[in-house]
Amino acid sequence: MIPNPKYKNIFFWTIELLALSLLILIVSRFDFLMKPISVFISTVFVPLIVAGFLYYVLKPVLTLLKKITVKGHKMPHQLAVIITFVLFLAVIAGSLILLIPTLVAEITNLITALPEFAQNVQRFVTDLLQSKWLSNLNLSIDVDEVKGAVGKYSASFLTITAGTLGSAVSMITSVTINVVTIPVVLFYMLSDGDRLLPAIQKLFPVRFADNVKELTLKMDKTIEKYISGQAIEMLFVGVTMAVGYLIIGEPYAWLLGVIAGITNIVPYIGPWIGVIPALIVASTQSWKQMLLVMIVMMVVQQLDGNFIYPNVIGKSLQIHPLTIMILLMVAGNLWGIFGMILIVPMYAVARTVVKFAIEMRQLTKESLE
């Protein structure tokens, strides 16, 4: 028997959570039940995440259009949605017309040059192992073993297109489905996004309506600030890295710039991941080219860190860099690259909820005193 009602509630919810965990564990053992669920989630997950990302990127534009007044009347919501969506499609179409031919040409040239590229990488590693400054370090390196590993990876790199043809066809099919699905989901998000808050409020008792509204608005602002800021950062880093690569004469500059921009979505670690392909390409030319690639990356990151990041994201998340690094390491080990992309905004939202709950509890205590 538990005399204290407070401990009684804790005991009740502990039993409920344990029972739910046990049920999930048992159900997860049945593949015939979990496989359809996992396929459904994996199919729906990507379009929802991408459409959600684009929704928060376009939301400031939608909000700005709704503030426009014509003869004392504000622009109707649906008209603002249509204009926002048309502008989005126009930007995408323009980007495809300008960028896709260049990317296709660079990818084609890269595939054509793969044999020579692999040989250059092997030659670079051989010269590195035989260099005087490396021998002065007195490192115990098995040269033949390293050469064998490089040769093995180079051979597998050359046969990747033939060995993964089926996977490529499957990926193209999946991408095509997402390209068709994502705009439809995005349009409905833009159109019905303002109905989400009232729908959430209806799930809670009336006395909590104002608190739920305040909390959801804070969560929405947190996500919007982070995602719109990340989109601007990705665009800035991608374009400036590509321009920097063009200036130093780096091959496949636009392709490498796109890779750098996309990987920049992962805080702190992303820029170093994005520069690796450029360094590999530069290694087939000279040490000087590798040094120039690093200089370009450092300059772009300094510009981003001192001007772009503080202004577009700033300290709105108020997350310590060490906390972000720990979150990235844990998420990377558990869920891979997608976990590293999602963990920071998820943590920011969870922290917003916890802080709000603490504030509400403190206000409740003060009102009762």
Side-chain angles (χ1 to χ4, degrees):
M1 183 176 182
I2 303 176
N4 193 326
K6 177 181 178 180
Y7 294 113
K8 183 178 180 181
N9 290 333
I10 295 175
F11 178 76
F12 171 77
W13 285 109
T14 301
I15 296 298
E16 288 289 323
L17 291 174
L18 288 174
L20 180 62
S21 302
L22 181 61
L23 179 62
I24 294 174
L25 179 63
I26 293 173
V27 172
S28 64
R29 299 296 181 181
F30 296 97
D31 291 337
F32 69 94
L33 290 176
M34 295 305 298
K35 189 172 182 180
I37 296 174
S38 63
V39 171
F40 173 78
I41 292 175
S42 62
T43 303
V44 175
F45 181 77
V46 173
L48 283 179
I49 291 295
V50 176
F53 180 86
L54 294 174
Y55 168 75
Y56 279 105
V57 170
L58 297 175
K59 190 178 178 182
V61 179
L62 178 62
T63 303
L64 181 62
L65 289 174
K66 289 170 66 175
K67 292 180 180 179
I68 297 176
T69 56
V70 180
K71 295 182 179 180
H73 298 283
K74 290 186 177 181
M75 183 179 295
H77 175 73
Q78 287 300 326
L79 179 59
V81 169
I82 292 173
I83 294 175
T84 302
F85 194 73
V86 170
L87 289 174
F88 165 71
L89 294 179
V91 170
I92 294 297
S95 301
L96 293 177
I97 292 172
L98 294 174
L99 191 58
I100 289 300
T102 302
L103 290 179
V104 170
E106 290 187 352
I107 292 173
T108 303
N109 293 336
L110 178 61
I111 293 174
T112 304
L114 280 180
E116 182 181 358
F117 182 80
Q119 291 176 0
N120 290 335
V121 171
Q122 288 180 292
R123 188 180 303 112
F124 171 80
V125 173
T126 302
D127 293 340
L128 175 63
L129 294 173
Q130 295 175 350
S131 61
K132 293 182 178 179
W133 67 269
L134 186 62
S135 61
N136 292 332
L137 296 176
N138 295 322
L139 299 176
S140 56
I141 299 176
D142 190 335
V143 177
D144 294 332
E145 184 177 349
V146 173
K147 289 182 179 179
V150 173
K152 177 183 176 181
Y153 286 115
S154 299
S156 62
F157 189 57
L158 292 172
T159 59
I160 188 171
T161 53
T164 59
L165 182 60
S167 300
V169 173
S170 176
M171 184 184 69
I172 292 172
T173 304
S174 177
V175 168
T176 304
I177 293 173
N178 289 329
V179 166
V180 175
T181 305
I182 289 171
V184 176
V185 177
L186 174 62
F187 181 81
Y188 281 107
M189 282 185 173
L190 291 171
S191 181
D192 299 333
D194 56 343
R195 301 179 185 178
L196 179 62
L197 180 56
I200 294 175
Q201 286 181 283
K202 291 179 181 180
L203 299 176
F204 296 87
V206 178
R207 65 180 185 274
F208 297 127
D210 293 337
N211 293 338
V212 171
K213 181 179 180 180
E214 184 180 353
L215 174 60
T216 50
L217 286 175
K218 285 186 176 182
M219 292 169 58
D220 185 67
K221 287 296 181 183
T222 299
I223 298 174
E224 180 182 347
K225 185 76 174 179
Y226 181 79
I227 290 182
S228 59
Q230 283 291 353
I232 295 173
E233 271 209 296
M234 290 168 63
L235 180 62
F236 171 79
V237 170
V239 172
T240 51
M241 289 292 284
V243 171
Y245 290 153
L246 287 172
I247 293 173
I248 66 174
E250 178 80 351
Y252 320 112
W254 286 106
L255 177 61
L256 296 173
V258 169
I259 293 173
I262 293 174
T263 57
N264 198 72
I265 196 173
V266 181
Y268 298 107
I269 301 176
W272 296 100
I273 298 175
V275 80
I276 290 175
L279 288 174
I280 294 175
V281 172
S283 69
T284 63
Q285 295 182 308
S286 65
W287 282 101
K288 179 182 177 181
Q289 188 67 15
M290 294 181 68
L291 180 61
L292 290 174
V293 167
M294 290 302 300
I295 291 174
V296 169
M297 195 269 283
M298 293 296 184
V299 170
V300 171
Q301 288 305 310
Q302 285 297 315
L303 292 173
D304 178 50
N306 291 304
F307 298 102
I308 304 301
Y309 187 89
N311 291 309
V312 301
I313 296 180
K315 298 181 179 180
S316 58
L317 297 181
Q318 296 179 346
I319 304 175
H320 195 278
L322 179 59
T323 303
I324 294 179
M325 293 299 295
I326 294 173
L327 290 172
L328 292 175
M329 287 188 293
V330 173
N333 286 323
L334 291 177
W335 306 296
I337 188 66
F338 286 106
M340 296 175 71
I341 293 172
L342 297 176
I343 191 63
V344 175
M346 288 175 61
Y347 173 80
V349 170
R351 193 188 58 176
T352 301
V353 173
V354 173
K355 288 176 65 177
F356 183 82
I358 294 173
E359 291 173 2
M360 288 298 100
R361 185 175 181 181
Q362 185 65 29
L363 290 174
T364 303
K365 284 184 177 180
E366 291 177 358
S367 63
L368 293 176
E369 292 177 356

